[in-house]
Amino acid sequence: MTEAGVKGRPEIGVVIPVFNEADNIEGLVRRLVPVLERLTASFEVVFVDDGSRDGTMEALRRANAADPRVTAVSFSRNFGKEIAIAAGLDHTEADAVVIMDADLQHPPEVIEAFVAKWREGYKNVYGQRTDRLTDSAAHRMFARNFYKMFSLFGETPLPEGAGDFRLLDRQAVIALRAMGERARFSKGLYAWIGFKSVGIPFEVAERASGVSKFDIGKLTRFALDGLMSFSTLPLRVWTYVGVIVSIFALGMALTFLTQTLIYGVDVPGYASLIVSVMFLGGVQLLSLGVLGEYIGRIFAEVKRRPLYLVAERLGAPSQPDQAPLPLRHDNRV
Ligand code: UDP
Ligand code: MG
């Protein structure tokens, strides 16, 4: 806020990832822009088209033609919501950046409360959903279990009900930009960067049009990414399992030794033999699988591929006033 008025830099930027949301764009802009106009004299809306295959780009073109403050960056293919958010943060130099969904589940009016808190000095203002009633029962159960696991194993505590709907001060945005990881679990990253934070409760609305883009497969991958990028416990737990199994095996060896010495050789034991061999085989494969999950992620990170590829830009989101980060692909022309 203090830096407002720096040449070409808007006070508020709104980043919106969109994937096949053609029918939602017009309604969203119509509700969002008046809210922003009430709040500030200079703002920009940066849509990130995540490789949509419907008329999303055409809808964005119309929105940009009608109001140049509405801009867009379009990916060469679908890279996923987390990466789309990262691209949005790369493309706005606003003093405060709001992140929200395109389907009006995040009511634009809540931004007024976000900005009020930001003007009080908070740098990480997050929307806190009061319920999950708009999610399906299966989705709710999945989320509940995931957060339970995350609070047990995760190394960064997540605030209750916090999601992507939030306002980040420029300082927090710059911190997030420095994180070049591909397996992006934004919720964890927002919590990890810290800064003066506060939650604003809000009620999640019904999706304006279309259906949720997250199926059970996408959610599972997202959950695994989240757990694995914020916890090494799944890797370390095998040390303890190994110790316990070895102690158990040693105990059994001693028992068999004394039994043989006292009673002589005893042949039966086929069932217990097979069960223990299969059990240990299972434990070993499981631990290998966990190693594989981490190694796959390490491989993806060390390849150092660009996080995303931009196919097209509409309008001019505020230009960066710093050199592009080495990890980010920038084909700005
Ligand atoms: N989204 C995206 N890329 C994807 C999936 C979703 O940019 O691969 C966007 C989507 O257009 C929407 C936001 O992410 O603006 C939230 O998606 P959705 O509403 O489908 O998720 P839900 O609200 O069910 O969690
Ligand atoms: Mg939604």
Side-chain angles (χ1 to χ4, degrees), residues 11-328:
E11 189 181 15
I12 300 177
V14 182
V15 165
I16 310 174
V18 281
F19 178 49
N20 296 341
E21 305 277 8
D23 298 334
N24 285 326
I25 293 187
E26 204 191 320
L28 171 63
V29 171
R30 208 174 328 117
R31 239 177 94 183
L32 176 64
V33 167
V35 172
L36 296 173
E37 277 173 343
R38 276 202 296 279
L39 284 169
T40 178
S42 73
F43 65 86
E44 68 183 348
V45 180
V46 183
F47 280 98
V48 182
D49 167 36
D50 188 9
S52 299
R53 288 176 289 265
D54 65 350
T56 298
M57 254 335 250
E58 284 62 50
L60 290 176
R61 249 184 268 280
R62 279 196 299 276
N64 171 253
D67 185 343
R69 293 170 298 185
V70 177
T71 64
V73 179
S74 174
F75 284 173
S76 60
R77 64 169 171 85
N78 182 252
F79 282 85
K81 180 185 174 188
E82 305 297 307
I83 307 259
I85 291 174
L89 297 182
D90 285 349
H91 280 85
T92 176
E93 300 302 318
D95 296 320
V97 179
V98 175
I99 303 167
M100 69 189 295
D101 285 358
D103 54 8
L104 283 172
Q105 288 198 287
H106 297 159
E109 295 71 28
V110 179
I111 296 174
E112 296 182 30
F114 285 0
V115 171
K117 281 288 173 201
W118 174 61
R119 288 186 172 144
E120 277 174 32
Y122 289 93
K123 293 186 190 273
N124 196 342
V125 187
Y126 52 90
Q128 233 168 349
R129 52 195 304 169
T130 46
D131 58 57
R132 283 192 159 264
L133 292 178
T134 50
D135 288 345
S136 69
H139 190 151
R140 278 209 297 274
M141 199 180 77
F142 190 94
R144 209 172 31 242
N145 287 317
F146 171 73
Y147 288 109
K148 231 184 263 165
M149 296 239 310
F150 200 95
S151 63
L152 275 177
F153 303 139
E155 281 143 19
T156 306
L158 296 182
E160 183 104 22
D164 289 316
F165 187 29
R166 61 178 61 230
L167 178 148
L168 298 167
D169 181 81
R170 187 174 157 73
Q171 216 181 340
V173 170
I174 288 171
L176 283 172
R177 280 189 198 160
M179 293 181 210
E181 55 207 271
R182 273 119 201 91
R184 295 186 84 79
F185 180 62
S186 307
K187 279 183 195 115
L189 297 179
Y190 303 136
W192 188 89
I193 57 169
F195 292 108
K196 204 173 160 200
S197 311
V198 64
I200 306 271
F202 78 100
E203 218 165 290
V204 180
E206 288 291 342
R207 201 171 218 289
S209 158
V211 289
S212 172
K213 307 295 182 298
F214 287 89
D215 53 23
I216 194 75
K218 258 192 184 177
L219 279 177
T220 311
R221 228 170 311 138
F222 181 61
L224 279 179
D225 275 349
L227 282 176
M228 299 205 167
S229 32
F230 282 90
S231 170
T232 49
L233 193 72
L235 278 177
R236 285 178 292 126
V237 72
W238 303 106
T239 319
Y240 308 114
V241 173
V243 169
I244 292 166
V245 172
S246 308
I247 291 172
F248 187 69
L250 197 71
M252 265 175 59
L254 288 177
T255 319
F256 286 142
L257 185 71
T258 30
Q259 266 181 357
T260 314
L261 287 178
I262 299 168
Y263 303 110
V265 181
D266 184 16
V267 183
Y270 175 75
S272 57
L273 194 70
I274 283 296
V275 168
S276 55
V277 166
M278 295 213 352
F279 173 72
L280 285 179
V283 168
Q284 282 167 5
L285 287 178
L286 203 73
S287 61
L288 270 181
V290 172
L291 284 183
E293 288 286 338
Y294 277 93
I295 292 173
R297 282 172 174 74
I298 296 170
F299 188 47
E301 301 292 344
V302 298
K303 276 191 279 194
R304 286 277 180 266
R305 287 200 182 145
L307 211 52
Y308 55 85
L309 294 175
V310 172
E312 194 185 343
R313 285 188 174 83
L314 286 183
S318 50
Q319 296 289 315
D321 53 5
Q322 56 184 28
L325 289 155
L327 293 181
R328 291 291 160 78

